[in-house]
Amino acid sequence: MPRTTALIVFALFAAVQVHAQAQEGRLKKIAQSKTIAVGYRTDAMPFSFTEGGRQVDGFTIDLCKRVITSIERQLNIQGLQTKWVPVTSQSRFDAVAKGTVDMECGASTMTLTRMKQVDFSSIIFVETTNLLIKATPGPRSLSEMSGKKIAVVAGTTNERALNAQIKRRLLNTTVVPFKSRDEAFAAFEAGKADAYASDRLLLIGAATKSKDPKSLLLLPEELSIEPYGIVLPRGDAAFRLAVNTGLAQVYSSGEVIEIFRRWFENVGSPTAILVAAYALGAIPE
């Protein structure tokens, strides 16, 4: 069977399955209201962000827009409206769990602890926790940062990974938590912290917006692996199937690589682990 025909058959088959299950959970609400509420981050560039009052944009946003289009087809409805709702690092999971939004599209790492409150889609990206420092003489690894301060966003997997590494290496390093990425980066840039810990590409995104990008240095040392997913309500199998169906279509068609190139052209090709994640996410019929 030709590839295009196979994708069409797969989409039609999934649509029948999802439509039959749409009388429960978030899909029922979406079908009845013809509206899907999507949580997004304003400060997670290049995955999810807003700049200058413009509409929400980013890699994850592009993926979610295609998933929403797929859900519209699966439910066999027309004119599905998207309600974009800003969330923070601290509020994103509660927003999904309590039904304020139907899903969250940002830079959220899957963890077993978080899965006690919410669910996740197939993997959409694989990141690492790194450190951003000033490009001046000084420490060039976490192990050299005893007596230093490191800014991080409170409640993130980056904070947990950083604390774990500091404890394991017996370092006298102070972790300074902030409510948002903008606050953490501003403190680092103002010299209130010696380094800023976050996901690698989020650090690159922050550095590009700094007053002097050339004065900053991203350390290659990886403190953790961060698999990203779209945040979904826990226990809603039909909605998770609908979202993963949309992702499978994007992955199978190769469109995900086009989206990747749009946002990450300057950082090179997808890593081997990311290519593998997309291959595994292209779930067959």
Side-chain angles (χ1 to χ4, degrees):
M1 181 184 294
R3 187 176 187 182
T4 302
T5 303
L7 287 174
I8 293 174
V9 171
F10 172 67
L12 289 174
F13 177 78
V16 172
Q17 283 190 311
V18 173
H19 188 68
Q21 296 174 316
Q23 299 307 309
E24 58 184 45
R26 299 293 171 95
L27 286 179
K28 179 180 179 180
K29 167 180 164 292
I30 292 167
Q32 290 179 341
S33 66
K34 291 189 176 181
T35 302
I36 183 168
V38 181
Y40 72 93
R41 299 280 297 284
T42 62
D43 61 351
M45 184 179 185
F47 295 93
S48 173
F49 64 97
T50 54
E51 272 190 321
R54 292 180 295 179
Q55 66 179 12
V56 61
D57 213 347
F59 172 83
T60 311
I61 300 303
D62 277 356
L63 270 184
C64 283
K65 286 179 178 177
R66 285 159 176 78
V67 168
I68 292 166
T69 298
S70 174
I71 290 175
E72 184 178 35
R73 291 195 302 264
Q74 293 174 52
L75 294 177
N76 194 27
I77 59 177
Q78 295 182 345
L80 180 61
Q81 300 297 311
T82 303
K83 178 183 178 183
W84 297 100
V85 181
V87 295
T88 65
S89 295
Q90 290 74 33
S91 71
R92 52 186 164 166
F93 302 114
D94 279 342
V96 175
K98 295 178 180 178
T100 305
V101 299
D102 298 307
M103 61 185 188
E104 187 263 350
C105 298
S108 295
T109 300
M110 303 178 185
T111 70
L112 295 176
T113 299
R114 289 172 176 176
M115 287 180 186
K116 295 176 182 179
Q117 181 184 15
V118 295
D119 202 350
F120 290 89
S121 68
S122 299
I123 291 174
I124 61 169
F125 208 83
V126 181
E127 259 287 27
T128 58
T129 295
N130 289 69
L131 293 176
L132 189 67
I133 64 170
K134 301 289 178 64
T136 54
R140 286 296 182 267
S141 72
L142 177 62
S143 295
E144 298 175 3
M145 289 192 177
S146 280
K148 305 295 183 180
K149 295 180 180 179
I150 302 178
V152 70
V153 180
T156 60
T157 52
N158 307 123
E159 181 184 29
R160 186 167 64 184
L162 183 60
N163 281 321
Q165 290 285 353
I166 289 172
K167 182 179 180 180
R168 184 176 67 83
R169 303 183 196 193
L170 302 177
L171 301 176
N172 180 28
T173 304
T174 302
V175 175
V176 186
F178 291 88
K179 291 183 179 180
S180 71
R181 298 187 190 283
D182 289 340
E183 289 182 10
F185 182 73
F188 161 66
E189 198 170 25
K192 297 178 181 179
D194 302 287
Y196 170 35
S198 188
D199 293 354
R200 177 177 172 271
L201 288 176
L202 295 180
L203 292 175
I204 293 174
T208 59
K209 297 190 299 180
S210 70
K211 299 174 183 177
D212 184 10
K214 293 183 179 179
S215 69
L216 305 178
L217 178 66
L218 180 70
L219 297 184
E221 181 181 16
E222 298 174 348
L223 305 182
S224 70
I225 300 295
E226 309 285 330
Y228 288 179
I230 298 171
V231 184
L232 304 173
R234 191 169 186 265
D236 195 330
F239 187 45
R240 187 174 190 273
L241 172 61
V243 171
N244 282 343
T245 296
L247 288 176
Q249 293 164 359
V250 176
Y251 295 171
S252 298
S253 67
E255 189 177 10
V256 67
I257 302 302
E258 296 175 14
I259 300 172
F260 179 95
R261 287 171 179 162
R262 178 189 174 195
W263 291 104
F264 307 119
E265 184 176 13
N266 295 332
V267 299
S269 302
T271 61
I273 191 171
L274 187 56
V275 171
Y278 292 149
L280 293 173
I283 303 169
E285 179 185 339

